[in-house]
Amino acid sequence: MKLSKRIQKVSESATLAAAQKAKDLKKQGVDVISLTVGESDFPTPEYIDQAAIASIKDHTADHYTAVNGILELRQTIADSYGNHSDHYYTADQVYVGSGVKTVLFNLFQVLLNPGDEVILPVPYWVSFAEQIKMAEGSPVFVQGKEEDGFKLTKEDLDKVYSEKTRAIVLNSPSNPTGMVYSKDELEEIGEWAVEKDVVIIADEIYKRLVYNGREEVSFSDLSSEIREQTIIVDGVSKTYAMTGWRIGYALGNKEVMKALAKYASQANGNPAAVSQYAAIAAYKEEADEVEKMVQSFERRSNEAYQLMKTIPGFYLATKPEGAFYLFPDVSEAAKMTGYESVDEFSLALIEEAHVVSVPGSSFGLADYLRFSYAVEEEVFAEGMKRIKDFIESKL
Ligand code: GLU
């Protein structure tokens, strides 16, 4: 059957494709190590499961909810920002959707006119660029210095700003690099955006996953002018090991939240009711196990970084400080082993070393590969050993 021109222009998500590839190989009996998709390997904490089960058993989760999420959840999310005497947001400044990916998609749909430009720092999460294009916007790519973790400064932004600039997407901690902006660095970008009247879309899904004493920073903690210029997106997926539950939200300007609800009323309907009850519990009753998961990722991050540094031809300019990815430049390793490109090298890693990663080309940097370390330490270590052996066997 003939497909639309629209869908023919969309590229498939490389993160999901790589994860699927690993699953398919496993099914075929290949002993494959998947360091692909960014999701916690921990089970969802028991206290969250219990809240969800209760909402099923007493039938509170049986029916449609408000399209933008039940009030208690929106209130809970709003209350989680600011402190007890000074909340920054109200429930009508929250829109809840089926995962951050859906929320971002809808956000680009309601913010962008055809031809509007959105500044996208390179490297970027694979779906940002495609979603901007799906909303008929134009991603404008800009790359900071590698030795600064690719972080952008005001000067970088000035170089790409134009009359058509509508928004900037900032994802800190970053997927794929794991770098984290400091409060001062965010402030510099925030002030620039206020001055130019550019909307900040702050993807803070990895906010809680910061390590080794790094400060947890959110755009919501900056001045009220910057806060008003920003739409934050976040959700329960990464912090609470709830990727499958699909709950994400947007937070900020009321008119934008209303527009998101209107869009969702035609496009999506409400996010699953049972997942919303689970999310309320996740925030309201947070148990120790959540902090333990964060600590475990910190340990894994440090170990994964040390291991990766021992791989010939892999180069990491900075040590990641958050999220759960490593994003080395592997062009030297590809060259040393006789491959024309990193994409070819990554295919060889799959076929010969049975280790699957995500090609950097889909994050805007073709010389790199992304490895998720949200797996057991032994699994990551075995993956690194296989890659090392593979490279050494080719020298
Ligand atoms: N955001 C995660 C990742 O980059 C989940 C997969 C996806 O939606 O891209 O691996």
Side-chain angles (χ1 to χ4, degrees):
M1 200 174 282
K2 218 165 152 193
L3 297 176
S4 69
K5 288 193 186 125
R6 184 181 309 112
I7 188 63
Q8 289 178 47
K9 280 194 260 168
V10 177
S11 350
E12 191 184 353
S13 160
T15 48
L16 299 187
Q20 192 56 47
K21 170 128 198 154
K23 279 185 194 150
D24 292 347
L25 285 169
K26 255 182 209 160
K27 248 194 211 147
Q28 290 163 26
V30 181
D31 169 26
V32 75
I33 293 198
S34 175
L35 305 175
T36 56
V37 75
E39 69 175 338
S40 171
D41 59 329
F42 290 103
T44 303
E46 179 65 20
Y47 78 95
I48 300 173
D49 288 349
Q50 288 310 329
I53 291 165
S55 77
I56 292 173
K57 287 210 163 144
D58 67 15
H59 298 285
T60 35
D62 288 357
H63 300 115
Y64 294 134
T65 71
V67 75
N68 55 346
I70 44 189
L71 179 59
E72 189 184 355
L73 176 55
R74 285 184 290 118
Q75 190 65 56
T76 302
I77 291 166
D79 289 350
S80 69
Y81 288 80
N83 55 44
H84 290 295
S85 54
D86 178 22
H87 286 306
Y88 300 151
Y89 300 100
T90 49
D92 54 2
Q93 288 182 282
V94 183
Y95 158 80
V96 182
S98 302
V100 169
K101 192 178 277 185
T102 307
V103 171
L104 279 165
F105 179 87
N106 292 357
L107 192 55
F108 292 125
Q109 293 289 326
V110 308
L111 285 181
L112 301 185
N113 282 315
D116 278 352
E117 293 179 354
V118 180
I119 299 177
L120 198 51
V122 176
Y124 48 82
W125 173 53
V126 296
S127 296
F128 288 138
E130 288 306 299
Q131 290 196 348
I132 292 165
K133 289 190 250 166
M134 287 158 101
E136 298 182 65
S138 306
V140 174
F141 302 107
V142 55
Q143 192 177 325
K145 291 198 192 90
E146 181 168 20
E147 60 273 26
D148 295 336
F150 298 107
K151 286 191 262 192
L152 298 184
T153 61
K154 210 163 65 198
E155 289 71 37
D156 296 320
L157 298 177
D158 277 335
K159 281 187 211 140
V160 287
Y161 173 79
S162 87
E163 289 292 295
K164 291 192 198 151
T165 307
R166 173 78 178 112
I168 172 171
V169 178
L170 240 276
N171 170 221
S172 172
S174 154
N175 173 5
T177 63
M179 65 80 199
V180 182
Y181 280 81
S182 70
K183 197 166 176 178
D184 289 348
E185 290 163 342
L186 284 190
E187 209 148 54
E188 179 178 316
I189 291 177
E191 281 164 5
W192 178 89
V194 170
E195 189 197 310
K196 305 279 190 203
D197 193 19
V198 167
V199 178
I200 301 164
I201 298 175
D203 178 350
E204 298 187 350
I205 188 70
Y206 298 100
K207 183 181 70 183
R208 292 278 301 276
L209 302 178
V210 286
Y211 315 127
N212 305 316
R214 197 64 159 111
E215 192 193 5
E216 195 184 301
V217 205
S218 162
F219 269 100
S220 64
D221 297 322
L222 306 181
S223 68
S224 57
E225 288 78 21
I226 295 177
R227 204 155 47 235
E228 277 154 30
Q229 195 72 26
T230 305
I231 308 290
I232 289 177
V233 294
D234 198 347
V236 291
S237 294
K238 314 287 182 183
T239 309
Y240 298 100
M242 290 177 74
T243 41
W245 298 78
R246 310 312 302 136
I247 292 292
Y249 62 83
L251 183 75
N253 180 284
K254 280 183 200 169
E255 297 313 311
V256 175
M257 296 307 122
K258 266 195 208 151
L260 285 168
K262 180 164 89 170
Y263 191 86
S265 77
Q266 297 291 10
N268 316 104
N270 64 267
V274 62
S275 299
Q276 295 188 58
Y277 287 104
I280 292 171
Y283 290 116
K284 270 197 170 164
E285 296 161 31
E286 185 169 317
D288 290 350
E289 52 202 298
V290 176
E291 190 49 39
K292 282 195 193 126
M293 291 194 286
V294 178
Q295 283 164 10
S296 161
F297 288 129
E298 174 177 285
R299 219 171 33 246
R300 292 176 186 189
S301 172
N302 291 330
E303 280 176 24
Y305 174 72
Q306 291 307 333
L307 278 173
M308 188 159 279
K309 282 207 310 190
T310 68
I311 306 215
F314 276 42
Y315 173 69
L316 283 161
T318 52
K319 184 168 188 259
E321 301 171 300
F324 30 55
Y325 309 105
L326 290 168
F327 193 63
D329 178 340
V330 303
S331 53
E332 193 54 39
K335 222 181 279 163
M336 282 157 57
T337 48
Y339 294 94
E340 299 258 303
S341 68
V342 165
D343 279 353
E344 274 183 30
F345 174 70
S346 101
L347 270 182
L349 286 184
I350 299 173
E351 278 157 19
E352 296 183 43
H354 299 157
V355 179
V356 193
S357 57
V358 189
S361 45
S362 39
F363 298 88
L365 287 179
D367 284 343
Y368 294 67
L369 287 177
R370 191 193 78 174
F371 295 85
S372 164
Y373 55 80
V375 292
E376 281 172 22
E377 282 96 324
E378 306 79 69
V379 174
F380 192 88
E382 172 61 18
M384 292 304 108
K385 181 180 175 306
R386 288 186 191 184
I387 293 174
K388 205 168 170 189
D389 290 349
F390 168 78
I391 293 172
E392 282 167 358
S393 75
K394 302 267 174 183
L395 298 181

